Amino acid sequence: MKRSEMADILFAYAERPDTLGIPECEAAALQPWLQLVERINAAMPPVQPSPTFVRSLGRELRRRAGQQIAQRERLQRTLLIGAAVGSIVSIASIAGAVIFVLLRRRGRAQVMQSTVV
Amino acid sequence: MEESDALLVERAKRDPEAFGILYERYVNQIYNYLYYRVGNHHDAEDLTARTFFQALKHIGRYEERGLSFGIYLHRIAHNLASNWHRDHSWQEVIPIEHLETLEDSEEGPQSLVEQQEEREILFRAIRNLSSDHQQVLILRHVEQMDHASIAKIMGRSRGAVKALYHRALVALRKELDQWHKDRQGET
């Protein structure tokens, strides 16, 4: 029997210990392996965490999840306000620059006019 | 109808209760896995808590991309268990607590003692295996996972998982044979 076939049989046997799908000629050779798989199953029954632990961890996780969400929302709000203030400052600077340039041009034009007159 | 993990994860980014539901869905599985990786309730509880805290911390960045939330949690748990083994490599960990469950058996005391000894021998042998071998055996025998899920947790192909499972059984059998030889030598 190929190693991969054997691995498949043993893998399936770990979940459903019946020999129905195993070829009869292979059954005897596989017997010690099947027994080993059964022994592992018997040695590792599912275990349960204590209800007190589950409850207290659940409470703590919900509390931390709430804090985390509140913190993220605060951060997003701060970023949004920061971005808004940044935008207002940039718009004001551009407007200021435009006004400055226009005033300078007007000032130059007035100087030119007065020298011509 | 039960809400899917993917929807709960999305909701958990805004609603703490959604993470609570995910936690209740997976806490037993993760605890089971960690218990058999570390061999005692105290450390299993500690690592279970750390697994969920870590998942919660990164929930904002979590995207499914073919890796379900359950697999994601198992990966975190696997990494924490590996670190735990690295930090505790100097001390022998003898898992005795799980044998308590035998008290409920209806069989006679002689049979109980034999069963207990049998399980302890096997458990010690499993604990002597490499971390990968232990992991594949726990995921298959305790968690009853299929090839595909184990492959995703371990970051291997399905074929590699099959081969690893086979090698784990071979290694375990060698360990047990060695134990029996040593015992015969002693007597």
Side-chain angles (χ1 to χ4, degrees), chain A residues 68-103:
Chain A
Q68 197 171 291
I69 291 166
Q71 210 173 358
R72 201 180 312 131
E73 282 172 357
R74 259 201 310 276
L75 183 72
Q76 277 173 349
R77 215 176 306 136
T78 311
L79 286 176
L80 206 71
I81 292 169
V85 169
S87 309
I88 291 167
V89 168
S90 357
I91 290 168
S93 330
I94 292 168
V98 169
I99 290 167
F100 174 74
V101 169
L102 287 176
L103 287 176

Tab-separated table of all heavy atoms in Angstrom, chain A residues 68-103:
chain	number	residue	atom	x	y	z
A	68	GLN	N	-11.934	50.097	22.378
A	68	GLN	CA	-11.178	50.190	21.123
A	68	GLN	C	-11.981	50.949	20.061
A	68	GLN	O	-11.439	51.776	19.340
A	68	GLN	CB	-10.878	48.762	20.650
A	68	GLN	CG	-9.781	48.674	19.617
A	68	GLN	CD	-9.397	47.227	19.370
A	68	GLN	OE1	-8.825	46.573	20.230
A	68	GLN	NE2	-9.724	46.717	18.199
A	69	ILE	N	-13.281	50.624	19.993
A	69	ILE	CA	-14.136	51.289	19.004
A	69	ILE	C	-14.224	52.788	19.326
A	69	ILE	O	-14.068	53.641	18.440
A	69	ILE	CB	-15.539	50.641	18.978
A	69	ILE	CG1	-15.435	49.230	18.386
A	69	ILE	CG2	-16.520	51.476	18.153
A	69	ILE	CD1	-16.655	48.368	18.602
A	70	ALA	N	-14.413	53.109	20.632
A	70	ALA	CA	-14.513	54.516	21.036
A	70	ALA	C	-13.220	55.266	20.712
A	70	ALA	O	-13.242	56.386	20.203
A	70	ALA	CB	-14.808	54.601	22.531
A	71	GLN	N	-12.099	54.577	20.961
A	71	GLN	CA	-10.784	55.193	20.706
A	71	GLN	C	-10.606	55.456	19.201
A	71	GLN	O	-10.135	56.506	18.804
A	71	GLN	CB	-9.711	54.215	21.180
A	71	GLN	CG	-8.455	54.875	21.650
A	71	GLN	CD	-7.511	53.840	22.250
A	71	GLN	OE1	-7.832	52.644	22.340
A	71	GLN	NE2	-6.354	54.262	22.649
A	72	ARG	N	-11.026	54.444	18.393
A	72	ARG	CA	-10.885	54.590	16.935
A	72	ARG	C	-11.761	55.740	16.434
A	72	ARG	O	-11.350	56.523	15.581
A	72	ARG	CB	-11.255	53.273	16.239
A	72	ARG	CG	-10.657	53.197	14.845
A	72	ARG	CD	-10.999	51.911	14.130
A	72	ARG	NE	-10.777	50.741	14.955
A	72	ARG	CZ	-11.675	49.771	15.108
A	72	ARG	NH1	-12.842	49.848	14.509
A	72	ARG	NH2	-11.407	48.708	15.832
A	73	GLU	N	-12.966	55.824	16.991
A	73	GLU	CA	-13.875	56.904	16.568
A	73	GLU	C	-13.312	58.276	16.948
A	73	GLU	O	-13.383	59.222	16.165
A	73	GLU	CB	-15.254	56.704	17.196
A	73	GLU	CG	-16.061	55.640	16.464
A	73	GLU	CD	-17.360	55.263	17.155
A	73	GLU	OE1	-17.633	55.787	18.251
A	73	GLU	OE2	-18.083	54.439	16.586
A	74	ARG	N	-12.715	58.332	18.149
A	74	ARG	CA	-12.091	59.604	18.591
A	74	ARG	C	-10.968	60.007	17.642
A	74	ARG	O	-10.862	61.139	17.223
A	74	ARG	CB	-11.525	59.439	20.007
A	74	ARG	CG	-12.417	60.029	21.087
A	74	ARG	CD	-11.656	60.328	22.372
A	74	ARG	NE	-10.852	59.216	22.845
A	74	ARG	CZ	-11.320	58.217	23.585
A	74	ARG	NH1	-12.606	58.197	23.919
A	74	ARG	NH2	-10.554	57.239	23.988
A	75	LEU	N	-10.156	59.015	17.298
A	75	LEU	CA	-9.024	59.260	16.407
A	75	LEU	C	-9.519	59.741	15.042
A	75	LEU	O	-8.985	60.697	14.465
A	75	LEU	CB	-8.191	57.976	16.260
A	75	LEU	CG	-6.934	58.090	15.419
A	75	LEU	CD1	-5.871	58.908	16.164
A	75	LEU	CD2	-6.365	56.707	15.103
A	76	GLN	N	-10.579	59.064	14.543
A	76	GLN	CA	-11.125	59.457	13.234
A	76	GLN	C	-11.663	60.881	13.282
A	76	GLN	O	-11.452	61.664	12.346
A	76	GLN	CB	-12.249	58.496	12.845
A	76	GLN	CG	-11.726	57.212	12.209
A	76	GLN	CD	-12.817	56.183	11.987
A	76	GLN	OE1	-13.928	56.339	12.476
A	76	GLN	NE2	-12.488	55.131	11.267
A	77	ARG	N	-12.356	61.220	14.398
A	77	ARG	CA	-12.910	62.569	14.544
A	77	ARG	C	-11.770	63.600	14.579
A	77	ARG	O	-11.830	64.619	13.904
A	77	ARG	CB	-13.722	62.650	15.837
A	77	ARG	CG	-14.934	63.553	15.687
A	77	ARG	CD	-15.797	63.547	16.938
A	77	ARG	NE	-16.182	62.207	17.335
A	77	ARG	CZ	-16.156	61.743	18.586
A	77	ARG	NH1	-15.733	62.490	19.561
A	77	ARG	NH2	-16.552	60.522	18.860
A	78	THR	N	-10.708	63.274	15.336
A	78	THR	CA	-9.570	64.192	15.435
A	78	THR	C	-8.940	64.390	14.054
A	78	THR	O	-8.611	65.510	13.655
A	78	THR	CB	-8.505	63.624	16.410
A	78	THR	OG1	-9.161	63.240	17.593
A	78	THR	CG2	-7.422	64.618	16.716
A	79	LEU	N	-8.797	63.293	13.323
A	79	LEU	CA	-8.195	63.382	11.988
A	79	LEU	C	-9.060	64.236	11.065
A	79	LEU	O	-8.553	65.040	10.281
A	79	LEU	CB	-8.022	61.984	11.395
A	79	LEU	CG	-6.887	61.147	11.976
A	79	LEU	CD1	-6.889	59.742	11.380
A	79	LEU	CD2	-5.534	61.812	11.689
A	80	LEU	N	-10.388	64.027	11.196
A	80	LEU	CA	-11.327	64.780	10.355
A	80	LEU	C	-11.247	66.271	10.660
A	80	LEU	O	-11.160	67.098	9.735
A	80	LEU	CB	-12.741	64.266	10.643
A	80	LEU	CG	-13.744	64.432	9.521
A	80	LEU	CD1	-13.412	63.465	8.380
A	80	LEU	CD2	-15.160	64.142	10.032
A	81	ILE	N	-11.227	66.591	11.957
A	81	ILE	CA	-11.134	68.023	12.347
A	81	ILE	C	-9.805	68.599	11.878
A	81	ILE	O	-9.743	69.695	11.316
A	81	ILE	CB	-11.300	68.173	13.884
A	81	ILE	CG1	-12.729	67.805	14.273
A	81	ILE	CG2	-10.967	69.586	14.356
A	81	ILE	CD1	-12.945	67.645	15.771
A	82	GLY	N	-8.731	67.810	12.051
A	82	GLY	CA	-7.398	68.241	11.628
A	82	GLY	C	-7.383	68.525	10.131
A	82	GLY	O	-6.854	69.555	9.670
A	83	ALA	N	-8.012	67.601	9.372
A	83	ALA	CA	-8.031	67.764	7.916
A	83	ALA	C	-8.832	69.004	7.537
A	83	ALA	O	-8.433	69.773	6.642
A	83	ALA	CB	-8.637	66.521	7.270
A	84	ALA	N	-9.963	69.212	8.248
A	84	ALA	CA	-10.807	70.378	7.941
A	84	ALA	C	-10.048	71.671	8.229
A	84	ALA	O	-10.037	72.595	7.399
A	84	ALA	CB	-12.088	70.311	8.767
A	85	VAL	N	-9.394	71.723	9.391
A	85	VAL	CA	-8.625	72.923	9.759
A	85	VAL	C	-7.505	73.153	8.743
A	85	VAL	O	-7.288	74.279	8.260
A	85	VAL	CB	-8.060	72.777	11.202
A	85	VAL	CG1	-7.046	73.878	11.497
A	85	VAL	CG2	-9.178	72.794	12.228
A	86	GLY	N	-6.843	72.061	8.359
A	86	GLY	CA	-5.762	72.138	7.368
A	86	GLY	C	-6.274	72.720	6.062
A	86	GLY	O	-5.637	73.597	5.450
A	87	SER	N	-7.451	72.230	5.633
A	87	SER	CA	-8.019	72.710	4.368
A	87	SER	C	-8.353	74.191	4.462
A	87	SER	O	-8.055	74.961	3.543
A	87	SER	CB	-9.301	71.950	4.038
A	87	SER	OG	-9.071	70.595	4.124
A	88	ILE	N	-8.967	74.594	5.585
A	88	ILE	CA	-9.340	76.009	5.749
A	88	ILE	C	-8.082	76.890	5.708
A	88	ILE	O	-8.039	77.919	5.013
A	88	ILE	CB	-10.117	76.227	7.073
A	88	ILE	CG1	-11.489	75.551	6.951
A	88	ILE	CG2	-10.270	77.703	7.416
A	88	ILE	CD1	-12.240	75.419	8.255
A	89	VAL	N	-7.037	76.426	6.399
A	89	VAL	CA	-5.786	77.203	6.435
A	89	VAL	C	-5.210	77.318	5.031
A	89	VAL	O	-4.788	78.403	4.595
A	89	VAL	CB	-4.774	76.558	7.417
A	89	VAL	CG1	-3.378	77.166	7.256
A	89	VAL	CG2	-5.247	76.709	8.852
A	90	SER	N	-5.228	76.206	4.263
A	90	SER	CA	-4.645	76.281	2.914
A	90	SER	C	-5.470	77.200	2.014
A	90	SER	O	-4.913	77.975	1.237
A	90	SER	CB	-4.503	74.913	2.233
A	90	SER	OG	-4.875	73.901	3.039
A	91	ILE	N	-6.805	77.069	2.128
A	91	ILE	CA	-7.652	77.934	1.290
A	91	ILE	C	-7.407	79.409	1.654
A	91	ILE	O	-7.251	80.263	0.778
A	91	ILE	CB	-9.144	77.568	1.463
A	91	ILE	CG1	-9.392	76.207	0.826
A	91	ILE	CG2	-10.061	78.617	0.824
A	91	ILE	CD1	-10.731	75.596	1.161
A	92	ALA	N	-7.312	79.672	2.963
A	92	ALA	CA	-7.079	81.047	3.411
A	92	ALA	C	-5.730	81.558	2.913
A	92	ALA	O	-5.601	82.724	2.492
A	92	ALA	CB	-7.128	81.099	4.935
A	93	SER	N	-4.708	80.675	2.917
A	93	SER	CA	-3.381	81.107	2.446
A	93	SER	C	-3.417	81.430	0.953
A	93	SER	O	-2.828	82.425	0.504
A	93	SER	CB	-2.307	80.033	2.648
A	93	SER	OG	-2.597	79.261	3.720
A	94	ILE	N	-4.131	80.554	0.196
A	94	ILE	CA	-4.207	80.816	-1.251
A	94	ILE	C	-4.936	82.148	-1.494
A	94	ILE	O	-4.484	82.998	-2.274
A	94	ILE	CB	-4.921	79.643	-1.973
A	94	ILE	CG1	-4.033	78.391	-1.909
A	94	ILE	CG2	-5.225	79.998	-3.430
A	94	ILE	CD1	-4.718	77.125	-2.327
A	95	ALA	N	-6.056	82.303	-0.766
A	95	ALA	CA	-6.823	83.552	-0.927
A	95	ALA	C	-5.951	84.760	-0.556
A	95	ALA	O	-5.934	85.777	-1.267
A	95	ALA	CB	-8.074	83.489	-0.064
A	96	GLY	N	-5.211	84.633	0.535
A	96	GLY	CA	-4.324	85.698	0.988
A	96	GLY	C	-3.279	86.028	-0.058
A	96	GLY	O	-3.014	87.216	-0.366
A	97	ALA	N	-2.718	84.956	-0.661
A	97	ALA	CA	-1.675	85.161	-1.682
A	97	ALA	C	-2.254	85.884	-2.890
A	97	ALA	O	-1.638	86.822	-3.447
A	97	ALA	CB	-1.099	83.809	-2.098
A	98	VAL	N	-3.462	85.467	-3.296
A	98	VAL	CA	-4.102	86.090	-4.463
A	98	VAL	C	-4.374	87.578	-4.172
A	98	VAL	O	-4.066	88.457	-4.992
A	98	VAL	CB	-5.425	85.348	-4.818
A	98	VAL	CG1	-6.230	86.134	-5.857
A	98	VAL	CG2	-5.113	83.946	-5.324
A	99	ILE	N	-4.917	87.842	-2.993
A	99	ILE	CA	-5.213	89.242	-2.621
A	99	ILE	C	-3.923	90.070	-2.594
A	99	ILE	O	-3.859	91.183	-3.123
A	99	ILE	CB	-5.923	89.291	-1.246
A	99	ILE	CG1	-7.332	88.712	-1.396
A	99	ILE	CG2	-5.996	90.715	-0.687
A	99	ILE	CD1	-8.030	88.416	-0.088
A	100	PHE	N	-2.861	89.464	-2.043
A	100	PHE	CA	-1.569	90.146	-1.960
A	100	PHE	C	-1.072	90.523	-3.357
A	100	PHE	O	-0.668	91.650	-3.611
A	100	PHE	CB	-0.571	89.240	-1.236
A	100	PHE	CG	0.825	89.763	-1.215
A	100	PHE	CD1	1.171	90.831	-0.369
A	100	PHE	CD2	1.807	89.218	-2.039
A	100	PHE	CE1	2.470	91.301	-0.349
A	100	PHE	CE2	3.101	89.706	-2.031
A	100	PHE	CZ	3.439	90.740	-1.179
A	101	VAL	N	-1.148	89.522	-4.281
A	101	VAL	CA	-0.658	89.769	-5.647
A	101	VAL	C	-1.493	90.870	-6.313
A	101	VAL	O	-0.955	91.800	-6.950
A	101	VAL	CB	-0.692	88.451	-6.478
A	101	VAL	CG1	-0.439	88.725	-7.965
A	101	VAL	CG2	0.322	87.460	-5.927
A	102	LEU	N	-2.840	90.768	-6.152
A	102	LEU	CA	-3.729	91.766	-6.776
A	102	LEU	C	-3.449	93.174	-6.236
A	102	LEU	O	-3.360	94.142	-7.006
A	102	LEU	CB	-5.197	91.402	-6.521
A	102	LEU	CG	-5.721	90.206	-7.321
A	102	LEU	CD1	-7.158	89.879	-6.921
A	102	LEU	CD2	-5.649	90.480	-8.820
A	103	LEU	N	-3.268	93.264	-4.913
A	103	LEU	CA	-3.006	94.570	-4.297
A	103	LEU	C	-1.685	95.150	-4.783
A	103	LEU	O	-1.570	96.355	-5.060
A	103	LEU	CB	-2.987	94.454	-2.764
A	103	LEU	CG	-4.366	94.259	-2.110
A	103	LEU	CD1	-4.210	94.051	-0.604
A	103	LEU	CD2	-5.246	95.481	-2.379
